[in-house]
Structure formats: structure tokens, C-alpha cells
């Protein structure tokens, strides 16, 4: 009863139009989930961009595809209408974590109101949601500020090719809404850890392990010591975690290992002195322990933490959700995303505005289809309220 009364208050034309779009949204979702578009699968990412552009252009929204060699394209679209003032940015990424061939094995399907398939939650449903919100505004208007869609193509590997461009586009925007999946609780994401991947190698001295054991210096021994030291940097109280997630090394059992390598994942918060932490990590990797071994860092990739969403922006979204009859809170997560980049240039950023989804980066990944329309409507209301 309360819910229907609250709903009756929302009469904006874009909200009404979105109310009838669940089937169309699901159809577009199926179309793009059924295209393999893992990071660096350039042709697949471009095919997803073309499918989204077709829908946008049919609604009168011009969309440019900017090449990102090796990764695909940016999709950059501006909703016609308001042109004065700083833009509101609807962001997303078109790449997934899944290898080519995944779609053939487990294509899009719907079961008990949940959609399944590679990238269905993270974040193809979010892309579709953003496209339909843009279309609602293009058809019905009402937004005071310009609205721009900006979809990238390498987020799942830490945005190596697009981070500068994303920060450029976000600079001076009024607000960023990043359509990563809504949490299983239904909540939005108002803070994220940053991540850092450190790849490193260790050289030792090879020797026959039976005849000349003492002549050898084991790279695997050195790696093991470094792993323990790196893991000891984990400090839950300050939000720092370290995880050596893959290791490789040695040649045969009867040779003292001349070489080993590993990849370390570090998560940290916006309060962490990341330069100091990285220096500590390098010192551990480069320490000559045991003697005659040598370690070196071969690559470092970072995703910035997302500083807390300003209360005012969260409140704006919450107010719209409340009018629609649902309550939503902000939540902190250890997962990194491009929203860290946009928050780092000082633009108010709210993340997790996509439909509710679960088990991202697994075969059980799903999208809760019943949340498609209400979350699109809540996002539209937040945009309509922005000045
Ligand atoms: Zn994502």
C-alpha cells in the first residue's frame, strides 16, 4: 500500500517510459552477453559497442567509437537536449574477464527471474541500464545538465590503456554514476579499495641437487621467503591485504632452481601511503636472501581506491529510490573499479548503480532482472534532480 502510494508520486515522463522497458532491456542484454568480449578480445569488444550504438542511434543519440588499439574502442555518446553546465557522466566497461569461447559453452539464459551468462552482471546489464536511461532522457527530457555516456574497454585488467582518458573525461563533470552491479544486498558502492599488481622474478644459481648442492642458490627458496614477508604486510585494521596468487619456478626436481617468478595482488584504501607501501614491497623483493639470489620487480599496475561518495550525491539517489518504493544504502568493497579513477580527480562518484548481481567473475554470475527497471528509474531520478 505504502509502496504504491509512493510510486504514484513519480510522474516524470522518463520514469514512466522506463517502466515499460524490461523486456527490451533484457533483449539487448541477451544480445551483448552472447558476444565474447574479454579484455584484449578487440573484435568482441567492438561488436558490443556496435550493438549499444545501434540502440542509442535509433533513439537519436549520436555515439562515437574511438579506437583503443589492442583493446577495442571507447563508446562516447551525448544525450541531446541540455548543453549548459558540467555534464553528468554514465560510465561502464565493455570488457569481461572471460576467455573466447565462453559464450558457446554457456550462453545467455534466464531461470527464475535471474539472467546468467558471461559478464551478465559485471557489467553488461549496467551498460544496458545506462543506455536505456540515456534513451529515456533523450525521448522525454527534463534533465537540467548535459548527460554523457562513456564506456571503456580494459577495466578488468586495470585500465592500462584508458585510465588517463577516463580521468580527463571525469574532470569537471558534475557527477559520475558507474553502473557496476548493485550489491547482493541491493546496496550501492560508496567506497572501494585500490589494487596493485606487482609482478616479480627471482634469479638463483643452478646446481645439481645431489652432487653440488652447496654450489646452488635456490630461487624457489628465495621466492618462498619473499612470499612470507609479503604476506606479513597484510594488516586488516588498516585495510591492506597482500596475496601472492600465482607462482612459477624451477626446472626439474634434481636441480637447484635457477629462476622463479610470481604475481602479488595488493588491496589498499584511500588512506594508505601507497608509495611507502610499494617501497616496502620492492625492498622485500630485491633483498638478497638467501645469498647469491637476486629479485627484481618486472611490472606494477595500479587501480586507484575510490574515495567515499559525497553524502549529498548518495542522498539524491536514495531520495529517488524512496519515491519509487525501495530503500538503498552505500557500501564499501575491496574490489577495485574505474570509479576509483573518477573519484581521484575530485568528481563526486557513485558506483554500483547497475542492476543487482552476484557471483561476478565466476560461472554462477547472475543478474536479478526484476531490479533492471527500478534501478534505471532511480538513476534517472537522480540525474533529473542534479543541478
Ligand atoms: Zn566490472
Amino acid at each position: 500500500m505504502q509502496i504504491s502510494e509512493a510510486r504514484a508520486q513519480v510522474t516524470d515522463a522518463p520514469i514512466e517510459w522506463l517502466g515499460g522497458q524490461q523486456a527490451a532491456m533484457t533483449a539487448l542484454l541477451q544480445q551483448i552477453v552472447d558476444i565474447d568480449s574479454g579484455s584484449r578480445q578487440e573484435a568482441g569488444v567492438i561488436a558490443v559497442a556496435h550493438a549499444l550504438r545501434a540502440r542509442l542511434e535509433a533513439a537519436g543519440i549520436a555515439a562515437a567509437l574511438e579506437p583503443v588499439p589492442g583493446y577495442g574502442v571507447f563508446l562516447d555518446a551525448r544525450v541531446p537536449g541540455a548543453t549548459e553546465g558540467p555534464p553528468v557522466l554514465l560510465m561502464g566497461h565493455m570488457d569481461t574477464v572471460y576467455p573466447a569461447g565462453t559464450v558457446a559453452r554457456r550462453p545467455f539464459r534466464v531461470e527464475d527471474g535471474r539472467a546468467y551468462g558471461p559478464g551478465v552482471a559485471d557489467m553488461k546489464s549496467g551498460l544496458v541500464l545506462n543506455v536505456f536511461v540515456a534513451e529515456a532522457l533523450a525521448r522525454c527530457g527534463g534533465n537540467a545538465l548535459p548527460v554523457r555516456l562513456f564506456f571503456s574497454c580494459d577495466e578488468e585488467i586495470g585500465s592500462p590503456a584508458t585510465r588517463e582518458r577516463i580521468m580527463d573525461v571525469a574532470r569537471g563533470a558534475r557527477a559520475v554514476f558507474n553502473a557496476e552491479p548493485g550489491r547482493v544486498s541491493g546496496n550501492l558502492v560508496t567506497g572501494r579499495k585500490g589494487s596493485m599488481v606487482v609482478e616479480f622474478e627471482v634469479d638463483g644459481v643452478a646446481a645439481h641437487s645431489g652432487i653440488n648442492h652447496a654450489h646452488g642458490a635456490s630461487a624457489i627458496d628465495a621466492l618462498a621467503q619473499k612470499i612470507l614477508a609479503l604476506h606479513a604486510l597484510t594488516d586488516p585494521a588498516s585495510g591492506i591485504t597482500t596475496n601472492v596468487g600465482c607462482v612459477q619456478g624451477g626446472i626439474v626436481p634434481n636441480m637447484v632452481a635457477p629462476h622463479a617468478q610470481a604475481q602479488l595482488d595488493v588491496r589498499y584504501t584511500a588512506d594508505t601511503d601507497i608509495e611507502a607501501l610499494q617501497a616496502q614491497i620492492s625492498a622485500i623483493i630485491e633483498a638478497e636472501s638467501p645469498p647469491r639470489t637476486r629479485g627484481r620487480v618486472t611490472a606494477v599496475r595500479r587501480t586507484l581506491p575510490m574515495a567515499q561518495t559525497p553524502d549529498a550525491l548518495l542522498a539524491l539517489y536514495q531520495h529517488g529510490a524512496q519515491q519509487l518504493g525501495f530503500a538503498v544504502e552505500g557500501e564499501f568493497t575491496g574490489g577495485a573499479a574505474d570509479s576509483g579513477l573518477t573519484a581521484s580527480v575530485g568528481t563526486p562518484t557513485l558506483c554500483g548503480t547497475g542492476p543487482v548481481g552476484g557471483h561476478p567473475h565466476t560461472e554462477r554470475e547472475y543478474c536479478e532482472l526484476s531490479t533492471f527497471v527500478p534501478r534505471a528509474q532511480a538513476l534517472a531520478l537522480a540525474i533529473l534532480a542534479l543541478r
Side-chain angles (χ1 to χ4, degrees), residues 14-31:
I15 305 309
E16 288 192 5
W17 181 82
L18 283 167
Q21 298 307 310
Q22 183 169 327
M25 290 165 116
T26 306
L28 183 58
L29 179 61
Q30 169 158 20
Q31 192 187 343

Side-chain angles (χ1 to χ4, degrees), residues 15-334:
I15 305 309
E16 288 192 5
W17 181 82
L18 283 167
Q21 298 307 310
Q22 183 169 327
M25 290 165 116
T26 306
L28 183 58
L29 179 61
Q30 169 158 20
Q31 192 187 343
I32 62 170
V33 166
D34 280 345
I35 300 169
D36 280 316
S37 67
S39 310
R40 298 195 183 88
Q41 292 171 45
E42 203 169 356
V45 170
I46 292 171
V48 169
H50 278 281
L52 296 173
R53 181 170 71 171
R55 176 85 203 185
L56 288 165
E57 294 199 330
I61 302 168
L65 303 187
E66 252 176 65
V68 183
Y71 299 92
V73 288
F74 280 117
L75 184 152
D76 186 1
R78 287 160 208 262
V79 176
T83 53
E84 295 292 310
V88 178
L89 200 60
L90 305 186
M91 211 168 70
H93 63 84
M94 298 180 284
D95 61 321
T96 73
V97 294
Y98 302 101
T102 306
V103 168
R105 248 182 344 99
R106 47 182 191 92
F108 180 89
R109 70 186 165 89
V110 176
E111 209 179 294
D112 296 333
R114 289 181 169 180
Y116 296 84
V120 71
D122 184 10
M123 58 176 281
K124 290 182 169 177
S125 53
L127 298 173
V128 171
L129 182 144
N130 279 349
V131 163
F132 273 75
V133 168
E135 182 169 343
L137 298 172
R139 285 171 177 274
C140 312
N143 49 307
L145 296 175
V147 175
R148 180 176 181 184
L149 297 180
F150 197 72
F151 296 166
S152 76
C153 53
D154 60 349
E155 192 269 351
E156 294 292 3
I157 50 173
S159 313
T162 62
R163 59 175 46 222
E164 298 299 329
R165 186 84 171 88
I166 290 169
M167 288 159 88
D168 271 355
V169 170
R171 253 177 220 115
R174 173 64 182 82
V176 171
F177 295 102
N178 191 29
E180 290 283 351
R183 304 295 101 175
V184 173
S185 58
N187 286 343
L188 301 160
V189 175
T190 47
R192 284 182 180 273
K193 287 188 181 180
S195 73
M196 177 165 68
V197 173
V198 181
E199 299 181 358
F200 62 100
E201 297 181 347
V202 187
D203 287 327
V205 179
H208 190 297
S209 64
I211 302 168
N212 293 318
H213 189 272
H215 292 175
S218 170
I220 288 178
D221 185 334
L223 179 59
Q225 294 189 23
K226 293 180 198 308
I227 291 169
L228 294 177
L230 292 168
H231 282 184
L233 296 174
T234 292
D235 178 9
S238 57
I240 296 169
T241 60
T242 55
N243 177 57
V244 176
C246 7
V247 298
Q248 242 185 333
I251 297 174
V252 288
N254 57 356
M255 184 195 297
V256 175
H259 187 79
Q261 59 194 52
Q263 295 183 14
L264 167 71
D265 175 86
V266 182
R267 301 292 162 127
Y268 59 99
T269 71
D271 297 328
T272 307
D273 181 346
I274 185 61
E275 302 303 335
L277 181 59
Q278 191 178 330
Q280 264 183 298
I281 289 167
S282 296
I284 290 168
I285 290 170
E286 288 161 12
E288 187 187 338
S289 172
R292 296 184 295 133
T293 61
R294 292 167 66 92
R296 65 190 165 277
V297 174
T298 54
V300 178
R301 293 187 300 278
R302 275 195 214 165
T303 303
L304 296 172
M306 175 187 159
Q308 203 65 20
T309 301
D311 290 344
L313 186 60
L314 175 62
L316 205 67
Y317 184 103
Q318 285 176 313
H319 181 69
Q322 199 181 16
Q323 282 180 279
L324 296 161
F326 68 97
V328 62
E329 298 295 330
E331 202 171 292
F332 187 86
T333 171

